[in-house]
Amino acid sequence: MDFGLVLQTDPPASAVVGLMRRAERNGFRYGWTFDSAVLWQEPFVIYSQILEHTQKMHVGPMVTNPGTRTWEVTASTFATLNDMYGNRTVCGIGRGDSAMRVAGRRPNTLARLGEAIGVIRDLAEGREAVVDGQPLRIPWVRDGKLPVWMAAYGPKALALAGQRADGFILQLADLYLTEWMVKAVRAAAAEAGRDPEAITICVAAPAYVGDDLAHARDQCRWFGGMVGNHVADLVSRYGEHSDMVPEALTAYIKERHGYDYSHHGKAGNPSTDFVPDEIVDRFCLLGPASAHIEKLKALRDLGVDQFAVYNMHDAKEATIDAYGAEIIPALNR
């Protein structure tokens, strides 16, 4: 199993680079960041420094979207980093939550997202693609490689990930929901004539190593609120008791009352008081190292190829070090 580290690009950028370097020393192979240009610093600038100061780490957004940058700019940025540092980027992409809504825009449609996946990948790998009716090709790309992994929760998005993406990003670590969603993605891939096993499965969720469960839950409760944004969209689209979306995903947002993006992805977020302990325990990895190892083995058995640690809490360094000392070795023996 591969491991990734997910950070927000809060200033100073040097601290983000430092944590990524620490992660690589501890066996993490991927470095991910949020991508929301108003809330945090511009990630692609920081990726250049992460790549410069690491040897093998792959970097990318978790996740970008088709609306905040034109597609040829996104592709050219990835292609430039790959040309400089040797194909060490991955494009995580979704409809756009905080990046779009903070700017007063609606998330992108799935149709637009599906088109963008192919265009960005083709351009970044040197092939011609059509952008807004105009055929384009980036002529200087040589031997470029850009896997595009799509984040999804709902049935139509899961199907799109299986049909178009190189990987699937699931932003929660609930075993039941992971099994349900991975099956949906792979079924869609098979129906599209693709090899379902060729799609990389990445589960991303907060991890907090320690014996004080109450404190760990409070540090990670924000995640249930973040996921709740996407769940609320699903409920508005499919209904509260739809057969298309598991109740195990939707039931907990009944007490949700709005969301303040100024606290997005941060411990102590006041917009997440509605998230019960049960959801924190299901969606995250908490407790001693042995509990993390047990749950990660279960995720691996469900077909998960990478676990990406959301590291937004008060024990960033300790979590990275605990994973490097005990957890990553146990999963890769």
Side-chain angles (χ1 to χ4, degrees), residues 206-209 219-220 222 267 309-316 319:
Y208 198 106
V209 183
Q219 286 292 303
C220 298
W222 62 266
V309 175
Y310 274 105
N311 203 30
M312 280 70 81
H313 48 56
D314 65 0
K316 294 181 179 67
T319 297

Side-chain angles (χ1 to χ4, degrees), residues 67-242:
T68 51
R69 299 176 181 83
T70 60
W71 302 350
E72 70 273 17
V73 170
T74 299
S76 181
T77 304
F78 277 113
T80 301
L81 291 171
N82 283 337
D83 188 63
M84 293 172 69
Y85 299 105
N87 288 337
R88 288 167 55 199
T89 67
V90 55
C91 177
I93 195 167
R95 292 177 62 231
D97 178 35
S98 62
M100 297 297 286
R101 287 182 164 127
V102 167
R105 306 185 186 103
R106 293 173 61 86
N108 298 270
T109 65
L110 287 176
R112 181 172 172 81
L113 174 56
E115 184 183 358
I117 287 172
V119 168
I120 291 169
R121 180 172 50 213
D122 283 345
L123 290 175
E125 294 185 348
R127 294 184 295 275
E128 182 179 284
V130 177
V131 182
D132 296 328
Q134 177 68 35
L136 296 177
R137 188 177 71 84
I138 302 176
W140 48 264
V141 173
R142 297 289 184 273
D143 302 318
K145 185 66 177 175
L146 181 66
V148 182
W149 297 4
M150 180 182 155
Y153 293 108
K156 292 181 180 179
L158 294 169
L160 180 63
Q163 294 159 1
R164 300 284 185 88
D166 302 300
F168 165 49
I169 297 171
L170 174 57
Q171 291 163 308
L172 53 81
D174 178 82
L175 296 178
Y176 170 77
L177 292 171
T178 297
E179 182 177 19
W180 187 86
M181 293 186 185
V182 168
K183 284 181 177 178
V185 169
R186 287 188 165 151
E191 289 173 9
R194 306 180 70 201
D195 178 1
E197 300 302 319
I199 298 175
T200 303
I201 308 296
C202 174
V203 162
Y208 198 106
V209 183
D211 295 323
D212 189 343
L213 276 178
H215 180 72
R217 286 171 179 145
D218 286 344
Q219 286 292 303
C220 298
R221 198 174 306 276
W222 62 266
F223 184 67
M226 187 186 85
V227 174
N229 288 335
H230 303 286
V231 175
D233 285 344
L234 295 178
V235 169
S236 68
R237 188 173 301 117
Y238 297 106
E240 188 174 334
H241 301 290
S242 170

